[in-house]
Amino acid sequence: QDHAFAGATTPAQQHPLENLSPDELEAVRDVMLRNASLALTPFGTAGVRDSFIYAMELLPPTKAAMLDFLDHSGPRPKRYARVIVYHGAWDSPVVNEYQVGPLPIKESDDPYDEDGCRVVLWRGPIPWVMRPVAANEYVAWDPIIRGAMRSLTTLLQESYGTTYDDGGIFFTDNAPRGYTRLTRHSWIWMMYAVEGEYINCLGLEMQINHLDLNPANWFITNFVYNNQGPFASAAELMWQYNNNATFQKIKMTFPGTEAQHLAREEALKNGNRAAAAASSSKPLQQPDNSVPVWSSIRTRENAERRAFATLQAPRTYYPDGARFRVDGSTISYLGWEFLLTSSIRSGLNLRDIRFKGERIIYELAIQDAYAGYAGRQPSQATSNYFDSGWGMGWSSYELIRGVDCPETATFLDAHALANAGNVMTQHNAICLFEVDASGPMFRHYSKPKLSMTYSSAGGVRSSHMILRTAVTVYNYDYVYDYIFHLDGTIEVRMSATGYLQGGFYADNSDNMYGQHVHSDTMGNLHDHIIGYKIDFDIGGLQNSYQKMMFRTGVFPKNPYLPPSKTMKYVDRVTVPSEKNSISILNTTSPSYWNIVNLDQTNTWGVTKGYRIQPMATIVNIMPPETEFMKAASWSKYNLAVTVRHESEERSTESLYDMQAPDDPIVSFDDFLANDENIVQQDIVAWVAVGMMHQPHAEDVPITLTVGSMTGFVLKPFNFFDTNPAMDLAQGRFVQANGEPAGNVRPMVPLKEQLASPPERKPGNVLEDT
Amino acid sequence: QDHAFAGATTPAQQHPLENLSPDELEAVRDVMLRNASLALTPFGTAGVRDSFIYAMELLPPTKAAMLDFLDHSGPRPKRYARVIVYHGAWDSPVVNEYQVGPLPIKESDDPYDEDGCRVVLWRGPIPWVMRPVAANEYVAWDPIIRGAMRSLTTLLQESYGTTYDDGGIFFTDNAPRGYTRLTRHSWIWMMYAVEGEYINCLGLEMQINHLDLNPANWFITNFVYNNQGPFASAAELMWQYNNNATFQKIKMTFPGTEAQHLAREEALKNGNRAAAAASSSKPLQQPDNSVPVWSSIRTRENAERRAFATLQAPRTYYPDGARFRVDGSTISYLGWEFLLTSSIRSGLNLRDIRFKGERIIYELAIQDAYAGYAGRQPSQATSNYFDSGWGMGWSSYELIRGVDCPETATFLDAHALANAGNVMTQHNAICLFEVDASGPMFRHYSKPKLSMTYSSAGGVRSSHMILRTAVTVYNYDYVYDYIFHLDGTIEVRMSATGYLQGGFYADNSDNMYGQHVHSDTMGNLHDHIIGYKIDFDIGGLQNSYQKMMFRTGVFPKNPYLPPSKTMKYVDRVTVPSEKNSISILNTTSPSYWNIVNLDQTNTWGVTKGYRIQPMATIVNIMPPETEFMKAASWSKYNLAVTVRHESEERSTESLYDMQAPDDPIVSFDDFLANDENIVQQDIVAWVAVGMMHQPHAEDVPITLTVGSMTGFVLKPFNFFDTNPAMDLAQGRFVQANGEPAGNVRPMVPLKEQLASPPERKPGNVLEDT
Ligand SMILES: [Ca+2]
Ligand SMILES: [Ca+2]
Ligand SMILES: [Ca+2]
Ligand SMILES: [Ca+2]
Ligand SMILES: [Cu+2]
Ligand SMILES: [Cu+2]
């Protein structure tokens, strides 16, 4: 039942766009390590000032080459890897990206052979300051942080009842590391080392400056404690702590059970909550498994059970087995077919999506996930995440069978060689299953107007296939779904769960930036905006953006309208150019956003297209001129349409740009800047959807997916001549009892019906008999 | 497994708000018919100028009386019926509504007994012109329409190949019947009498004037044929048809199969489509069941089958049986409890909704469904439906088991005595089932920052209970869902399916008002807006509307922000009064809409509340001063909040007002007009959500629910101290292999992990073993 996601096919069968297989990843790594001129150190032993491979993935063939191969029997495009190398060993270190290939690499590879593997600079140099923080950089931080925390031992012990060295406290960091290419400093903050550490913040924060080329010169500054500071050094913080009479000290105790926290809260008066805490709290110093710490997500076994809660929840089954197939990385399901690939940066990327044999989309891919926070403390005030910069694509970890996906699901593994020396296989990282939608895809109960009984009724039950990954970016878990409906509709959704990025709650003034959600814990206001790339190819490459705007107008010549002569109408606009394509959902001025092929019509002469229909959404509300919006310019629009260029592969390059969002390598607005003509061009639709997340008590310990969802629907829109689901035999159609079946409506005159009205009895006309 | 919706309890157990049972309905009817002063004629034999009972339903006890009974051991409120009587026999006919009761009515009821049943005028007189068109009014239309159609026999035979008398053609009508209280005329239009008649319009329309008190004086005028007219009479139309050389004749043939229509279209040139039709079409004069007419929703058995399509779709089962209970009209499910009632006008109405024992909502009820159309022809140009005016509540017909609801569902019957002489029992009109959501309610994969492996992972699978009705208003089917989640969230959805209200397509100029979707068929632009009443009672009656607005501001004193000093924040506004409560979803300026109790806080001192979270929606875009917007004023706002008054029970009274929308009995704006203080009052939230429906070819023959959905989510918002779903044991939690379980995070130093990186192997840590 389980399948390997990549690498299950022989090279000859391999799709040119398929992910690099584990063997390919390792072969590329090895050929790079053997390359003397690169002088690379294996990842596991490389320090910051060594040169090493940070990450690699497929460098996809150009679309032109792919279409030549797929549609015109052209040559099979060769596969290459794109390898990110940190040249830390150089005097002026840089990051370079190399094109390595073609693949497969031969056993004894000679780069001077005609077909030999070559390592060619593909992009670079990328400024050293923009490199993602690799594992070995965190290793280099460790003694620096440990040293600072040792200087604070008295404060830690008195304020928190434990220390860093004791293992009761640890840290996390945020991003960006500044906002220009001139800085590289990260805010780090301390939390209790318990389950749900994310929401056990201590109110102790500091900034590590890791700009210098020599890690020995890195240092920690800007200590903030209980909203006091910033203090330049640990020593200054300790001096204030020991000598300043007005200094506000924190008194927290190790996290306890929820019951203990609720009891403590009852005992608390208004005032300095943290200082009052110790007196009334009995910390759970020896936590056990039967009563989890309040921030654990484990079941509260001692909670009162609801009626019926001991019964198992409903389950889905396949009466005849799965109705989809996985062949290597190709997935097919009841008329659908596509290639499943992924990017190490942003995650799933579906290629060459076809329905009933016809290509609809060349590429449908997550681009990035933005989350911008608010708060008094630096940890929150500066958090502006571009999660592909954390490697969202290699953070789709193992799915929990029976929780994340039903028991019936087919699971696929994912492989990456990123921020590690070996291929990391994420077992069961992707799942695939068909769902009983438990309701009608369509239905009608036909009751002719002059009739008191029905003449026929019927419909088709809906089911759909879900392709799912769950991406964990430290505290948060994004559940990414691609849903394939039987009528040619694709639904794309992101559901948010996981932990809040908790903050330290000191007093009511924190609530301007979020909400006090537990004893000492803030839930800080933030948003989630997800960017997607949709390279529609409707009936070929030449597509247009047709915007339908629904307006009201005055039609004085229409004799049937009442005196205002006012009526709705549809205004179809072929959007001429990129800058005009910017679209934001508007409740008072609705519109439909259709990607169409103006040169192709269905049988009724209507241009063929697909509609992009966002769910409830927001756009980024930060003013466009602020520091994080150049890199996040894609998040300002629910939709923008550009001419496709190979050089504009992605709307963000956050691996680098999260280190310098005000001076990024890729700013989506640059795609629009030349305002190209988008009428009957190979265009790409860039969609951003999101939600504001104002935390509330029910987000603790963990955010629920219910109502925490955004996404969009891609729906055939005059793409077909009629409803393409009429071929499905999973329906049920009933004619009224005793009346002739067939196409002509049986009609009993209403007058006769009224004179002898139907008896009151439980009807059974639609029942199984 | 099946349950009677009402009437299954004895009077002593009966909830005072429960629907009238069949026995109660009949007893009320009978006591009215025995009442000599009313002089009523039984419905089955009553003509338009007789007096008769049109409809009846429960007249609910006041909220004060109910709360006294429910919460303070007060007396059980007595039950009364509210009966709508057409006093057609009076010289100046009116409609009156009577209060009849108390119930039960004794066998030999003496109205002069102290406890005897009394018939008291409850509301009236209602202008005769505003009465809904009852079945007998349609009966009275029949000979008038038949006569007109006979005058057109030549035209019908030549244009359409069949006639009205032959049964090949019939009509439907629209509403409103004008827009003031001075008119009562309805547009009617002709369609082929086949399956899917709705989308087989003939381009022949006319207006029936049924204003006069004497039905003998009713007449048909304003004939429109092929967009020519209006002609005052059938004779004038026939004169034009026979004598006007420039008159454009229609040539249609009886509808055929889809293949025939597609073939015909191929053969057609541009130009007069209808005229060209006959030459190239082979009509299916003898339709059979194996090849349905194009407009049928039956499976196209001759269509090419998709791979796997012969396998059965997934199904849901209950491993341990249903986890909900139905006791009479009371439904309980895993902490939820509520009373299920309905209104004959608008449908389901849930009362006294409690979660974990605490009342959240006193009343959650559909109010109305608006749909306003556009089009050249009068049928479309004048269609402005207020579907509760058609009796949406008694139009929830039998559900199709296995299509509308899964096999596991529990079905409930619904009873109504409305527009009929007897109780009409709609068998299986309501269904109730629990669904496997096939994904996490919450989950987290815990991977500490300085770790390359996970420490723990877990979550809880989501399931929820769906309560469903499907309401058929002639061509359209609304699927109304109330979804109960295990965290205290209620999701309210409407999915649209059924047939379009088709129009007649003549030429491209029709596309300004919709889309040409089949041979001679238009899909006309329209909207769907659904109104709901939510009487939240959060911790008691005194509630407020707290609007959270998310803004950006400049915070120059925050030392951690970059130079723009710009950050998001939340602005909490306690909305002072009704007029200020108007809220419309705004993508660029997001807000949360919370109903809170300012006098009650959770443990963290935060006001308890629920959030109203709309899905993607629109508001009514028609200018507010136009003729249909007084009755539809509720549809201008996604949310408005008013002080609850018994006299403001419903936001519409469309049974009457659809006959005079510009001069309605109830205009929701009047609720707001006195701009009452809504701070800590017994308030009601009125929600309207909707969507624009620009038809497309895939709506033919039938609209799909996929992506045709609107609704909202009601979500606990600091109502609880923490996530209320942590008691559920339907989860799964795993600790990393070989590491200690418990509350303290295991940490292997990253440096050690890097030096000996994990092997590449399929992990099995989250697998069942
Ligand atoms: Ca461009
Ligand atoms: Ca394209
Ligand atoms: Ca008022
Ligand atoms: Ca209330
Ligand atoms: Cu969030
Ligand atoms: Cu519609």
Side-chain angles (χ1 to χ4, degrees), chain B residues 415-626:
Chain B
H415 314 287
L417 211 167
N419 200 17
N422 288 338
V423 172
M424 303 289 286
T425 292
Q426 299 297 340
H427 188 55
N428 292 354
I430 298 156
C431 74
L432 195 65
F433 53 96
E434 193 181 9
V435 157
D436 171 15
S438 298
M441 177 152 58
F442 60 81
R443 65 98 65 188
H444 183 58
Y445 183 98
S446 189
K447 183 172 163 297
K449 189 148 264 180
L450 297 197
S451 167
M452 297 190 76
T453 61
Y454 84 107
S455 60
S456 66
V460 166
R461 172 118 150 243
S462 191
S463 58
H464 47 257
M465 182 182 75
I466 301 183
L467 176 68
R468 175 171 294 162
T469 53
V471 170
T472 301
V473 184
Y474 191 50
N475 54 298
Y476 239 77
D477 298 66
Y478 298 107
V479 179
Y480 288 109
D481 285 352
Y482 293 89
I483 306 177
F484 294 86
H485 293 273
L486 295 176
D487 69 324
T489 294
I490 302 174
E491 198 175 335
V492 178
R493 295 201 297 215
M494 188 284 282
S495 303
T497 177
Y499 281 96
L500 296 172
Q501 172 176 301
F504 173 72
Y505 176 78
D507 59 49
N508 188 46
S509 61
D510 287 308
N511 284 326
M512 186 171 181
Y513 311 104
Q515 187 67 67
H516 179 204
V517 291
H518 206 267
S519 303
D520 303 302
T521 301
M522 272 296 291
N524 288 78
L525 174 65
H526 60 281
D527 48 11
H528 296 282
I529 307 178
I530 317 293
Y532 292 89
K533 175 185 187 182
I534 315 170
D535 185 356
F536 272 112
D537 285 351
I538 305 288
L541 291 176
Q542 275 66 52
N543 286 184
S544 302
Y545 173 27
Q546 187 183 60
K547 194 166 182 172
M548 290 185 160
M549 277 164 299
F550 304 107
R551 308 185 188 281
T552 61
V554 178
F555 299 88
K557 290 183 195 157
N558 187 312
Y560 315 115
L561 291 169
S564 77
K565 297 291 179 192
T566 307
M567 186 165 55
K568 286 190 268 284
Y569 69 96
V570 51
D571 184 7
R572 291 173 181 79
V573 175
T574 300
V575 177
S577 70
E578 291 171 330
K579 285 184 181 170
N580 290 287
S581 73
I582 292 165
S583 301
I584 293 176
L585 205 66
N586 189 323
T587 305
T588 56
S589 177
S591 56
Y592 275 19
W593 306 342
N594 303 327
I595 304 298
V596 302
N597 187 328
L598 294 176
D599 297 329
Q600 292 207 2
T601 57
N602 68 7
T603 292
W604 323 112
V606 187
T607 52
K608 289 180 66 158
Y610 256 71
R611 177 180 168 206
I612 301 171
Q613 181 182 355
M615 297 176 191
T617 188
I618 58 166
V619 291
N620 200 319
I621 63 171
M622 287 296 282
E625 69 281 6
T626 52

Side-chain angles (χ1 to χ4, degrees), chain A residues 371 373 475-476 478 496-497 499-501 524 526-528 691-695 699 703 708:
Chain A
Y373 284 74
N475 55 296
Y476 240 77
Y478 297 106
T497 177
Y499 281 95
L500 296 173
Q501 172 175 301
N524 287 79
H526 60 280
D527 48 12
H528 296 282
M691 54 192 166
M692 196 59 67
H693 188 173
Q694 160 73 2
D699 282 320
T703 292
S708 303

Side-chain angles (χ1 to χ4, degrees), chain B residues 227-297:
Chain B
N227 292 302
Q228 298 160 112
F231 305 110
S233 64
E236 189 186 329
L237 168 55
M238 281 313 299
W239 188 93
Q240 293 283 340
Y241 182 87
N242 288 321
N243 302 295
N244 180 343
T246 64
F247 195 77
Q248 297 290 316
K249 295 184 180 181
I250 290 172
K251 281 277 183 200
M252 285 168 77
T253 50
F254 207 78
T257 64
E258 189 169 305
Q260 289 172 318
H261 280 265
L262 294 178
R264 189 189 93 176
E265 202 67 25
E266 286 299 307
L268 274 178
K269 306 265 182 271
N270 290 329
N272 187 328
R273 303 171 41 78
S279 58
S280 58
S281 172
K282 293 199 194 318
L284 186 72
Q285 293 290 6
Q286 295 294 330
D288 63 54
N289 271 317
S290 62
V291 186
V293 64
W294 70 275
S295 51
S296 167
I297 62 168

